[in-house]
């Protein structure tokens, strides 16, 4: 009988097989993982259903009841969204997750001049109680759990939902579901805020207070790491900043006099799930451990108050325009990670969401992904099947350790509100996003069909297109009818009371519910508070140096730098590009990555403020004497906003300013944009260094193709 092999024996054998090569892998989170984990690396994680809930918040988890299948959806009109919901519910979906359009998110009615290109484009337009009633027509709100992703205009949206329930015969006590209500992360990454941080935090507390007293089955907040994940955060950053956000909300509610155990059991979380399979599983386990510790330290007595319950969504940013059927595989892998990590509910993204809203065809595949996992795989037979895995337990412990270091840094700044105000979390996430993009561009992070195994030609993919003008016209008609049919004096009195409540200490949700009963619109309710709080605006400040460091010895990078210097010599100044975000889309990851990279290339970059109109963009571009404008679009407003910008530039006698477009733009829209005058289009998967080379060509520089040297005589 031979002796049992030791770790030392394995090291010797591995060293021989690898010829001495280091097999450890450096993670974006800032630590390395080893090729082998053993019992010595692992700690006992405890049992499911018991503190600190690492292995799950319920003892039986999916063996008792599977996770809830949700599909986050909403587009165009309330009628079309309602029909889509009812089809999905009939086909096996168990709960609703509502996506609102960006005009709604930003507190504007559909007839507001700032939202011409946004109405109905990335979610459903909701202006009135009637819209909300149509949205849930034939969907019983006393039995259906409804999740609503809303933060900026959370007061009017929740008020409309409450009144729609009342008029359906459903009391507030019967309503079940979740409102996101997580404003801190909006200031960090997603940017669909309305008011400054301090009054925004008051709104959060008022909603927690109202729902604690009146809506015992409703989750008053869903603390979201998902949007940090989508903005480029590492797993450590997503964990630390999300848990720190939750801690801040609890402390804010306690400061108003609420007992922690009276509301903490109705808080929920929302995490993004990406492609680093085991990291994502460990992330959810670490999140439960971290939340238990935080709530215990804050004095929670009830075990339910210390349980982190979470919804998850597969990653949108991992979806690719190129070879899009690979997205089905990516979503399946991510969905498995979410379920093996112990999520309470899950949304699976559709294969075409890298370029458009999902079709019925693609949404069915996404939903069926979850049905197959629940019904065919055996995942639901065993509680935490990966619990006890040496690697999973070591990874979970490491994420807890690293996240606690970052959370301590947040505490040293005075808590998350002050940290957000300092800009620290946003800057860290943007640095991580830029670093990720450099790894993709250099092929260090492989994406199949994008930077490896790229197809010569792409298959045509049918995508959903919303007629923005038609939807907006319909919403304006309904708004007009709403205003004509209401008791105007009673409506204005309710709005005045809301404004007075904002000046004092009235509960803003309670006052907004009364305004909704009197048929005040979403824009009017938002404006009643804006008159007191003001509207918050910001201009992006991209990070510098990430690309420069990553590409220091890259030959193609050197060619681009030389090209920029050549153009600078010819112009007598640096070539100048404006990165513009028009419309109400606040997702600025792509815009910030471009601004960061082009700055490192030597361009002078002007970052326009978020939420510009085409007219404001045109005036800023002319005032700053830019050579080109890069218009970033992620919310389907490109066919309206970008052609308008080009027409305005021509009308001002500056048709010489080049306009290029980047972001989520379906390939079938390319010809339309080119005919409108767009001179370059860069969709998901575009190599940023090659974008720089292309911009130099547009500016008249004879830039060689990638991999080729330029004949000096040709220059």
């Amino acid at each position: 009988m031979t002796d049992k092999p030791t770790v030392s024996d394995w090291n010797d054998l591995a060293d021989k097989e690898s010829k001495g090569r280091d097999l450890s892998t450096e993670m974006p989170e800032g630590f390395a993982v080893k090729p082998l984990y053993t019992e010595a690396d692992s700690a006992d994680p405890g049992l499911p259903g018991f503190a600190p809930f690492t292995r799950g918040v319920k003892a039986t988890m999916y063996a008792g009841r599977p996770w809830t299948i949700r599909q986050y959806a909403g587009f165009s009109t309330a009628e079309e969204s309602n029909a889509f919901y009812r089809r999905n519910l009939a086909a096996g979906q168990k709960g609703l997750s509502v996506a609102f359009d960006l005009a709604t998110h930003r507190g504007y009615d559909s007839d507001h001049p700032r939202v011409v290109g946004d109405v109905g484009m990335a979610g459903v337009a909701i202006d009135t109680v009637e819209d909300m009633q149509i949205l849930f027509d034939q969907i019983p709100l006393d039995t259906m759990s409804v999740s609503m992703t809303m933060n900026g205009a959370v007061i009017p949206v929740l008020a409309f939902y409450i009144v729609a329930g009342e008029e359906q015969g459903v009391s507030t006590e019967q309503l079940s579901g979740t409102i996101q209500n997580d404003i801190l992360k909006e200031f960090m990454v997603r940017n669909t805020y309305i008011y400054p941080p301090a009054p925004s935090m008051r709104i959060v507390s008022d909603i927690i207070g109202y729902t604690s007293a009146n809506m015992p089955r409703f989750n008053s907040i869903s603390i979201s790491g998902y949007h940090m994940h989508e903005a480029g955060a590492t797993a450590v950053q997503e964990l630390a900043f999300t848990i720190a956000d939750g801690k801040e909300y609890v402390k804010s509610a306690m400061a108003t006099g609420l007992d922690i155990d009276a509301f903490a059991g109705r808080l929920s979380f929302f995490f993004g799930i990406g492609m680093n399979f085991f990291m994502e599983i460990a992330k959810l386990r670490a999140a439960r451990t971290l939340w238990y510790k935080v709530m215990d330290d804050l004095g929670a007595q009830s075990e339910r108050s210390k349980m982190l319950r979470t919804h998850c969504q597969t990653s949108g940013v991992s979806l690719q325009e190129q070879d899009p059927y690979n997205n089905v595989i990516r979503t399946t892998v991510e969905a498995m990670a979410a379920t093996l990590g112990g999520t309470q509910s899950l949304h699976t993204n559709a294969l075409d969401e890298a370029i458009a809203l999902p079709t019925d065809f693609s949404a069915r595949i996404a939903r069926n992904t979850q049905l197959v996992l629940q019904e065919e795989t055996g995942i639901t037979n065993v509680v935490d099947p990966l619990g006890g895995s040496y690697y999973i337990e070591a990874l979970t412990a490491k994420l807890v350790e690293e996240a606690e270091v970052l959370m301590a840094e947040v505490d040293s700044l005075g808590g998350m509100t002050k940290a957000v105000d300092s800009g620290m979390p946003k800057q860290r996430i943007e640095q991580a996003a830029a670093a990720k993009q450099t790894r993709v561009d250099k092929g260090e992070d492989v994406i199949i069909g994008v930077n490896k195994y790229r197809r010569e030609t792409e298959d045509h993919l049918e995508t959903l297109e919303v007629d923005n003008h038609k939807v907006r016209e319909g919403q304006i008609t309904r708004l007009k009818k709403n205003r004509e049919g209401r008791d105007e004096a009673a409506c204005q009195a309710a709005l005045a009371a809301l404004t007075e409540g904002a000046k004092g200490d009235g509960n803003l949700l309670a006052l907004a519910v009364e305004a909704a009963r009197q048929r005040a619109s979403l824009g009017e309710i938002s404006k009643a508070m804006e008159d007191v709080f003001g509207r918050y605006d910001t201009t992006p400040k991209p990070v510098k140096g990430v690309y420069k460091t990553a590409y220091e010895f890259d030959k193609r990078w050197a060619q681009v730098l030389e090209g920029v210097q050549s153009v600078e010599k010819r112009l007598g100044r640096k070539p100048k590009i404006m990165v513009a975000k028009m419309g109400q889309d606040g997702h600025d990851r792509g815009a910030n990555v471009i601004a960061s990279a082009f700055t490192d290339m030597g361009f002078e970059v002007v970052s326009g403020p978020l939420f510009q109109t085409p007219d404001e963009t045109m005036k800023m571009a002319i005032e700053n004497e830019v050579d080109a404008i890069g218009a970033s679009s992620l919310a389907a407003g490109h066919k309206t906003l970008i052609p308008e910008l080009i027409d305005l530039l021509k009308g001002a006698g500056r048709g010489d300013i080049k306009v290029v477009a980047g972001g989520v733009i379906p390939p079938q829209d390319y010809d339309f944009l080119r005919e409108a005058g767009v001179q370059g289009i860069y969709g998901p998967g575009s190599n940023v260094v090659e974008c720089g080379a292309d911009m130099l060509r547009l500016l008249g520089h004879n830039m060689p193709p990638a991999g080729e040297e330029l004949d000096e005589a040709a220059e």
Side-chain angles (χ1 to χ4, degrees), residues 270-322:
F270 176 26
F271 287 100
I273 304 296
M275 285 297 289
N276 193 339
F277 187 71
F278 294 105
M279 186 72 76
E280 298 299 334
I281 295 167
K283 182 175 74 181
L284 297 185
R285 301 170 96 254
R288 290 191 288 269
T289 307
L290 288 163
W291 187 241
Y292 177 86
K293 291 182 176 184
V294 165
M295 295 302 282
D296 197 51
D297 287 346
L298 289 175
Q301 298 300 308
S302 167
E303 290 295 274
R304 179 172 171 76
S305 298
K306 305 174 190 178
M307 294 178 181
L308 181 143
R309 294 162 300 111
T310 190
H311 171 69
C312 288
Q313 180 173 339
T314 58
S315 174
V317 77
S318 73
L319 303 178
Q320 302 299 324
E321 175 185 329
Q322 296 79 12

Side-chain angles (χ1 to χ4, degrees), residues 484-708:
E484 289 173 348
R486 69 192 183 188
D487 182 334
E488 192 63 28
C491 179
Q492 293 304 321
L495 288 169
L498 176 57
T499 297
E500 288 305 307
K503 291 176 182 175
D505 59 359
N507 186 285
L508 296 172
L509 179 55
L511 292 163
V513 168
E514 182 55 35
R517 290 186 184 120
Q518 300 303 329
R519 290 326 195 240
S521 70
L522 176 131
E524 290 169 332
I525 291 173
S526 297
K527 184 67 164 56
M529 294 182 286
E530 185 182 337
D531 287 343
V532 179
F533 301 147
R535 183 172 278 268
Y536 185 78
D537 290 304
T538 186
T539 299
K541 297 177 181 176
V543 298
K544 297 179 181 180
V546 175
Y547 266 79
K548 183 178 180 180
T549 301
Y551 278 92
E552 187 175 4
F553 303 108
D554 183 84
K555 191 172 184 179
R556 183 59 167 171
W557 177 259
Q559 285 181 335
V560 172
L561 294 186
E562 289 170 8
V564 173
Q565 290 164 5
S566 177
V567 172
E568 180 178 359
K569 188 181 296 183
R570 172 163 53 84
L571 297 177
R573 57 170 175 78
K574 289 186 175 184
K576 188 182 291 190
I577 180 172
M578 177 179 175
V579 178
K581 288 289 295 180
M582 295 182 290
Q584 299 305 305
D585 171 32
H587 294 84
D588 59 355
R589 170 185 176 148
N592 288 337
V593 165
I594 290 295
S596 176
F598 273 61
T599 299
D600 285 356
M601 291 174 197
F603 287 85
E604 182 176 347
V605 177
V606 177
S607 289
L610 299 175
F611 316 122
Q612 281 191 320
T613 63
D615 184 65
E616 289 166 343
T617 299
M618 176 271 293
K619 288 175 180 175
M620 185 173 181
I622 292 174
E623 181 182 325
N624 283 273
E625 299 181 335
V626 304
D627 302 298
I629 301 171
S632 173
S633 174
L634 277 80
H638 52 272
K639 291 178 73 174
T640 301
L641 300 170
I642 298 176
E644 184 180 341
L645 170 64
I646 292 170
D647 288 343
L648 287 167
L649 286 167
K650 289 177 180 175
R654 291 305 311 272
D656 59 301
I657 296 177
K658 316 286 193 241
V659 175
V660 300
V664 179
I665 301 174
Q668 56 264 40
D669 290 350
Y670 283 15
D671 286 344
F672 173 88
L673 291 175
R674 289 188 182 108
E675 288 172 11
V678 174
Q679 298 194 36
I681 303 172
Y682 310 99
S686 297
N687 182 293
V688 176
V689 179
E690 289 307 318
C691 290
D694 207 40
M695 181 58 68
L696 289 171
R697 293 189 195 99
L698 288 177
L699 297 180
H701 180 67
N702 192 8
M703 191 70 196
E708 295 183 18

Side-chain angles (χ1 to χ4, degrees), residues 278-547:
F278 294 105
M279 186 72 76
E280 298 299 334
I281 295 167
K283 182 175 74 181
L284 297 185
R285 301 170 96 254
R288 290 191 288 269
T289 307
L290 288 163
W291 187 241
Y292 177 86
K293 291 182 176 184
V294 165
M295 295 302 282
D296 197 51
D297 287 346
L298 289 175
Q301 298 300 308
S302 167
E303 290 295 274
R304 179 172 171 76
S305 298
K306 305 174 190 178
M307 294 178 181
L308 181 143
R309 294 162 300 111
T310 190
H311 171 69
C312 288
Q313 180 173 339
T314 58
S315 174
V317 77
S318 73
L319 303 178
Q320 302 299 324
E321 175 185 329
Q322 296 79 12
D323 207 356
Y325 291 103
N326 289 339
N327 293 333
V328 177
I329 304 162
R330 295 184 179 105
T331 294
T332 303
V333 169
E334 292 166 352
M336 287 182 64
T339 58
L340 291 170
T343 189
Q344 276 59 64
S345 65
L346 178 63
H347 163 86
T348 32
N349 287 327
L351 66 97
D352 48 1
E353 288 188 70
I355 52 176
L357 292 167
T359 61
D360 277 2
F361 169 77
S362 64
R364 178 172 172 268
I365 295 172
R367 183 192 61 251
N368 286 353
T369 300
Q370 295 196 55
L371 291 173
V372 169
L373 290 179
Q374 279 194 4
E375 305 286 350
E376 298 186 25
T377 63
I379 283 175
T380 61
N381 294 342
V382 177
V383 180
D384 189 27
L386 292 183
S389 154
Y390 301 145
Y391 179 40
I392 286 292
E393 302 305 346
L395 202 51
T396 300
K398 186 64 176 176
L399 285 173
V400 170
E401 175 190 338
E402 295 293 328
E404 286 182 330
V405 171
L406 189 49
M407 289 166 66
E409 188 175 350
V410 170
D411 286 340
S412 72
L413 294 172
M416 203 60 187
T417 302
K418 290 184 178 178
V420 166
D421 193 50
S422 77
M424 182 273 278
K426 185 175 182 68
Q427 183 184 47
R428 297 285 177 83
I429 292 171
E430 287 181 7
Q431 286 171 337
K436 168 71 175 178
Q437 188 62 46
T438 63
R439 294 195 302 274
V440 171
D441 286 349
K442 295 175 74 175
E444 295 170 355
D445 285 4
V446 171
I447 302 178
I448 303 302
V450 176
N451 61 6
K452 196 172 186 179
Y453 311 115
R454 183 77 179 256
R455 304 183 71 189
E456 288 188 14
T457 59
E458 298 289 344
D459 294 334
H460 175 71
L461 191 67
E462 292 291 337
T463 55
L464 183 71
E465 184 166 356
V466 174
D467 187 339
N468 161 243
H469 297 288
K470 182 180 178 181
V471 175
R472 186 166 185 263
E473 287 170 5
Q475 290 299 120
I476 290 172
T477 299
R478 191 177 292 159
L479 272 165
K480 186 172 183 288
K481 183 179 178 181
N482 173 77
R483 289 166 183 152
E484 289 173 348
R486 69 192 183 188
D487 182 334
E488 192 63 28
C491 179
Q492 293 304 321
L495 288 169
L498 176 57
T499 297
E500 288 305 307
K503 291 176 182 175
D505 59 359
N507 186 285
L508 296 172
L509 179 55
L511 292 163
V513 168
E514 182 55 35
R517 290 186 184 120
Q518 300 303 329
R519 290 326 195 240
S521 70
L522 176 131
E524 290 169 332
I525 291 173
S526 297
K527 184 67 164 56
M529 294 182 286
E530 185 182 337
D531 287 343
V532 179
F533 301 147
R535 183 172 278 268
Y536 185 78
D537 290 304
T538 186
T539 299
K541 297 177 181 176
V543 298
K544 297 179 181 180
V546 175
Y547 266 79

